């Protein structure tokens, strides 16, 4: 459980995070989505006590991270794949991290095996590919078997198998009741991994809602309708408050009415309909619209739905 | 990418416990970073870098090498002095013992190498990004700083002491061939060994403080060189009594006062030198500790 309250970070003239408040709950994967420079990494560094908030506060499992007696056993974090001394081997890096908490050597071997680093564990971390660096960072995050995991762009630089591996790993960990907070600027990745989504843009939380609500909750559910009598059906649907776009000679795109109401209208008026397809907005579309620009931040339905 | 890496997770996940995460900690006495654990971690970090080992080996090589060279040079000088009554009188005035300081002749280089090691120990954390891992594991930060201090000071002391001892052993037969006697077990020899080793440990501490304050390897090492090599020479060249007086208070000039068998006029008394060196160590360390705690990583 992570709770941020009015979290703000100002660097000189630039406000990186502006009063972010949100809660990340246990037992699910919470995605933290936003364009580059939106304040995701800064927020995560503040959660981990590395950056001091200008104002506001954030707690993990009820306490500020710094005040936990055994921080690595509470929270594991991958903040940056390069948070490693380049001349030290992966094994020694993990061993030194484990030593701070009295975590046994056997656990170091376990996380190395879990992350598939056996072959390179004795090599200098500086020579690692981005993907190997990510695996090492994830291994370090898992060392303390923590209740909460914070992963900043974990799939960045991973090959497709690695991406699937991370996705399975975080879903598995969340399934065990752990809190998983995962940032990405890749919407498609989030759509497949996260249960809940916090969208951030220019340092502000612009949406905080279950994944499904973000995708569909924008009010504009559209339906593809194929019929022999498009003109008559258009008039009838418009009469019931729908807005209809005539896409092809026999194809309409209807918004403002659900498929059942459309079918009902057609049935009452003896109009044959031979396709009725709900169009699910992709997360990508939702995201693009959410982050379009500053002005729209406060007026979006999703942002309101999230309150 | 290794072929084993892509299997689905659950089958190869022996670790995460079956018991609910919330109750895992009960009954486990001290799960977190105690100082001894942090010290152990810093010791692992220290010895797992090749560069550290190279710097330590260089220190030993320089100390022993200069000890041998100095033994040879001292022998030559003493031979010349034997034929020159004035020089012989000067040597007698200085307590008559040239040989005793031979084992510590390389100290100026040892302090530079181990001082740089102190700088690098912290600056490399920031230049490589390791600091984010270090201060995530030890979010209170100061235990990690203190552990680094203990590691670098203890290592510097031991390496200097051992290489001084070895330098003495190497110097004895060389001096012997010129008819000079060096007893590495004499009280002044032991005092020189201990004072110089403690001094180098102090320089390493100053280095660590500089590395923490500047977070930059080149900047930290240059500052160290400035304080220990450039300033003494500059202060000597600048005319005026102020700089002549100020020069006494540079840290690099304290070691001679501390190790002197008797007080030499126009230098600091041993206790004054100890206070001055102490201030040069403590003030940067305190400043570094405060800023390390305050600044963002």
């Amino acid at each position: 459980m992570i709770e941020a309250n009015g979290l703000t970070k100002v660097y000189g003239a630039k406000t990186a995070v502006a009063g972010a408040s949100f809660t990340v709950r246990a037992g699910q994967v919470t995605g933290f989505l936003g364009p580059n420079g939106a304040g995701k990494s800064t927020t995560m560094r503040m959660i981990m006590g590395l950056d001091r908030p200008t104002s506001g506060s954030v707690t993990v499992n009820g306490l500020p991270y710094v005040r936990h007696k055994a921080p690595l056993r509470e929270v594991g974090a991958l903040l940056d794949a390069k948070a490693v001394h380049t001349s030290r081997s992966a094994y020694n890096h993990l061993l030194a991290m484990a030593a701070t908490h009295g975590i046994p050597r056997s656990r170091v071997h376990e996380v190395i095996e879990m992350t598939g680093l056996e072959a390179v564990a004795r090599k200098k971390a500086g020579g690692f590919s981005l993907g190997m660096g990510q695996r090492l960072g994830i291994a370090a995050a898992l060392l303390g078997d923590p209740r909460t995991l914070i992963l900043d762009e974990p799939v960045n630089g991973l090959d497709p198998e690695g991406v699937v591996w991370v996705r399975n790993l975080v879903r598995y960990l969340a399934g065990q009741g752990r809190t998983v907070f995962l940032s990405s600027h890749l919407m498609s990745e989030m759509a497949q991994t996260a249960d809940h989504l916090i969208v951030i843009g220019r340092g502000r939380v612009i949406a905080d809602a279950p994944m499904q609500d973000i995708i569909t909750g924008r009010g504009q559910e559209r339906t593809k309708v194929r019929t022999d009598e498009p003109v008559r059906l258009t008039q009838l649907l418009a009469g019931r408050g729908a807005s209809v776009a005539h896409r092809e000679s026999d194809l309409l795109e209807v918004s403002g009415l659900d498929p059942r109401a459309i079918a009902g209208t057609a049935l009452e008026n003896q109009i044959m309909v031979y396709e009725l397809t709900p169009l699910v907005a992709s997360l990508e579309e939702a995201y693009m619209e959410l982050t379009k620009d500053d002005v729209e931040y406060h007026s979006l339905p999703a942002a309101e739905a999230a309150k | 990418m290794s072929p084993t890496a892509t299997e689905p997770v659950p089958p190869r996940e022996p670790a995460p416990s079956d018991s609910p995460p919330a109750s895992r900690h009960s009954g486990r006495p001290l799960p977190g970073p105690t100082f001894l654990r942090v010290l152990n971690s810093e010791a692992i970090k220290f010895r797992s870098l090749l560069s550290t080992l190279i710097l330590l080996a260089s220190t030993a090589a320089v100390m022993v090498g200069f000890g041998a060279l100095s033994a040879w040079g001292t022998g030559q000088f003493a031979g010349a002095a034997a034929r020159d009554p004035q020089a012989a009188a000067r040597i007698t005035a200085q307590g008559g013992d040239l040989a005793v300081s031979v084992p510590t002749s390389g100290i100026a280089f040892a302090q530079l190498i181990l001082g740089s090691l102190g700088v690098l120990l912290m600056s490399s954390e920031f230049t490589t990004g390791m600091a984010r891992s270090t201060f995530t594991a030890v979010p209170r930060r100061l235990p990690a700083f203190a552990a680094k201090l203990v590691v670098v000071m203890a290592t510097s002391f031991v390496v200097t002491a051992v290489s001084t001892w070895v330098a003495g052993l190497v110097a004895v037969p060389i001096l012997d061939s010129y008819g000079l006697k060096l007893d590495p077990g004499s009280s002044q020899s032991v005092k020189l060994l201990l004072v110089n080793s403690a001094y180098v440990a102090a320089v390493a501490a100053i280095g660590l403080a500089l590395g923490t304050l500047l977070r930059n390897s080149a900047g930290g090492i240059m500052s160290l060189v400035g304080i220990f090599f450039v300033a003494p020479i500059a202060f000597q060249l600048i005319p005026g009594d102020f700089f002549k007086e100020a020069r006494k208070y540079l840290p690099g000039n304290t070691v001679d006062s501390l190790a002197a068998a008797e007080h030499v006029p126009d230098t600091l008394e041993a206790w004054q030198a100890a206070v001055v060196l102490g201030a040069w160590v403590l003030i940067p360390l305190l400043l570094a500790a405060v800023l390390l705690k305050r600044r963002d990583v």
Side-chain angles (χ1 to χ4, degrees):
Chain A
M1 176 96 123
I2 302 168
E3 288 169 291
N5 204 335
L7 205 54
T8 300
K9 183 70 185 178
V10 180
Y11 296 106
K14 187 180 176 289
T15 301
V17 179
S21 298
F22 56 84
T23 301
V24 181
R25 289 185 179 77
Q28 60 181 13
V29 177
T30 301
F32 195 29
L33 187 62
N36 291 323
K40 301 187 294 291
S41 298
T42 305
T43 302
M44 288 182 157
R45 281 202 306 272
M46 287 194 282
I47 296 173
M48 298 306 291
L50 293 175
D51 283 13
R52 193 181 291 266
T54 307
S55 64
S57 64
V58 58
T59 61
V60 193
N61 303 335
L63 277 179
Y65 180 73
V66 179
R67 294 195 25 216
H68 277 292
K69 286 219 156 40
L72 285 190
R73 296 186 197 272
E74 289 292 336
V75 190
L78 163 73
L79 292 181
D80 186 339
K82 296 287 173 202
V84 179
H85 196 299
T86 39
S87 307
R88 194 175 285 124
S89 73
Y91 175 75
N92 281 324
H93 172 75
L94 293 171
L95 199 61
M97 295 280 286
T100 58
H101 282 59
I103 295 167
R105 210 170 272 257
S106 58
R107 177 65 184 168
V108 172
H109 289 289
E110 265 170 26
V111 297
I112 286 174
E113 195 190 322
M114 277 163 64
T115 50
L117 286 171
E118 299 99 322
V120 294
R122 299 283 177 174
K123 297 202 172 119
K124 283 184 183 182
F128 280 20
S129 65
L130 187 50
M132 278 297 171
Q134 295 284 17
R135 285 168 186 271
L136 177 54
I138 292 170
L142 293 173
L143 264 182
D145 192 15
R147 282 198 284 169
T148 299
L149 274 134
I150 295 177
L151 307 173
D152 194 4
E153 305 268 3
V155 301
N156 203 4
L158 287 181
D159 57 13
E161 292 97 323
V163 172
V164 171
W165 172 75
V166 168
R167 191 182 301 152
N168 290 339
L169 176 69
V170 297
R171 296 228 52 86
Y172 174 72
L173 293 169
Q176 290 184 315
R178 296 168 208 258
T179 306
V180 180
F181 192 37
L182 180 78
S183 86
S184 180
H185 62 274
L186 299 172
M187 302 140 281
S188 51
E189 182 47 41
M190 281 295 180
Q192 296 182 67
T193 311
D195 307 301
H196 191 96
L197 207 56
I198 295 170
V199 183
I200 187 171
R202 305 202 187 178
R204 285 168 215 283
V205 174
I206 50 184
D208 178 354
M211 179 66 74
Q212 208 49 44
D213 292 8
I214 300 250
I215 294 174
T216 60
R218 296 173 310 128
Q220 294 299 58
E221 200 177 348
R222 291 165 302 151
T223 310
K224 237 163 91 179
V225 183
R226 236 176 254 276
T227 174
D228 287 337
E229 298 177 73
V231 178
R232 205 172 130 225
L233 186 58
T234 300
Q235 286 166 350
L236 288 165
L237 291 174
R240 296 190 58 181
S243 64
V244 183
H246 206 144
R247 295 291 183 208
E248 289 166 31
S249 60
D250 64 343
L251 178 63
L252 304 176
E253 200 176 289
V254 184
S255 51
L257 274 185
D258 67 2
R260 192 188 164 82
I262 298 167
T265 308
L267 184 63
E268 282 163 26
N269 295 279
Q270 299 277 307
I271 297 169
M272 187 173 74
V273 167
Y274 47 90
E275 186 188 342
L276 198 62
T277 311
L279 294 175
V280 178
S282 69
L283 176 60
E284 190 143 349
E285 287 172 289
Y287 172 66
M288 294 304 265
E289 202 171 321
L290 276 171
T291 56
K292 227 177 346 192
D293 63 48
D294 254 346
V295 188
E296 291 190 9
Y297 282 171
H298 304 294
S299 59
L300 276 166
E304 284 154 23
K307 298 294 176 205
Chain B
M1 197 103 344
S2 106
T4 57
T6 55
E7 289 174 32
V9 170
R12 39 183 311 143
E13 174 91 21
S17 49
D18 298 325
S19 55
S23 65
R24 279 180 304 128
H25 304 312
S26 56
R28 203 181 286 179
L30 271 173
T34 60
F35 184 69
L36 280 181
R37 283 174 174 169
V38 177
L39 191 60
N40 181 27
S41 170
E42 288 300 332
I44 292 170
K45 283 159 73 177
F46 187 82
R47 63 170 185 259
S48 60
L49 287 180
L50 184 62
S51 54
T52 310
L53 305 177
I54 290 174
L55 289 177
L56 295 181
S58 315
T59 307
V62 164
M63 285 296 290
V64 175
F66 268 85
L69 269 179
S70 167
W72 178 66
T74 305
Q76 294 278 334
F77 176 69
R83 293 186 292 277
D84 176 354
Q86 273 189 332
R90 262 207 320 275
I91 293 170
T92 318
Q94 284 173 17
D97 204 350
L98 282 177
V100 74
S101 62
V102 161
T104 52
S105 328
I107 210 74
F109 298 96
Q111 68 171 1
L112 184 61
I113 298 172
L114 295 177
S116 303
L117 177 64
V119 171
L120 288 171
L121 208 55
M122 192 60 103
S123 63
S124 69
E125 291 257 343
F126 288 97
T127 53
T128 60
M130 180 66 202
R132 284 187 287 276
S133 293
T134 300
F135 298 119
T136 297
V138 189
R140 290 175 195 272
R141 300 186 191 174
L142 293 187
F145 181 64
K148 277 187 194 303
L149 185 65
V150 170
V151 167
V152 78
M153 286 188 79
T155 311
S156 298
F157 184 91
V158 170
V159 167
T160 308
V162 170
S163 22
T164 302
W165 182 256
V166 173
L169 295 184
V170 170
V172 167
I174 301 174
L175 288 165
D176 211 38
S177 69
Y178 290 99
L180 293 173
K181 288 278 163 275
L182 169 66
D183 176 9
S186 75
S187 64
Q188 181 60 12
S189 285
V190 172
K191 182 181 174 187
L192 274 171
L193 180 144
L194 292 178
V195 166
N196 277 279
S197 303
Y199 167 75
V200 171
V203 177
I206 296 172
L208 183 72
L210 290 173
T212 309
L213 289 169
L214 298 173
R215 298 186 170 191
N216 178 302
S217 307
I221 292 172
M222 286 319 293
S223 307
L224 201 72
V225 169
I227 294 168
F228 286 90
F229 282 77
V230 179
I233 297 170
F235 280 24
Q236 201 164 31
L237 294 179
I238 302 171
D241 285 346
F242 174 77
F243 285 100
K244 193 179 163 211
E245 185 62 22
R247 194 168 177 272
K248 287 188 207 166
Y249 297 92
L250 289 173
N253 287 343
T254 57
V255 65
D256 289 335
S257 304
L258 283 168
E262 284 165 40
H263 178 238
V264 180
D266 208 26
T267 64
L268 297 180
E269 300 263 5
W271 69 268
Q272 292 172 319
V275 171
V276 169
L277 184 60
W280 272 99
V281 173
L282 284 180
I283 293 170
L285 278 179
L286 285 175
L287 208 59
V290 169
L291 285 183
L292 179 66
K293 184 87 181 166
R294 279 224 194 124
R295 282 153 97 187
D296 291 345
V297 171

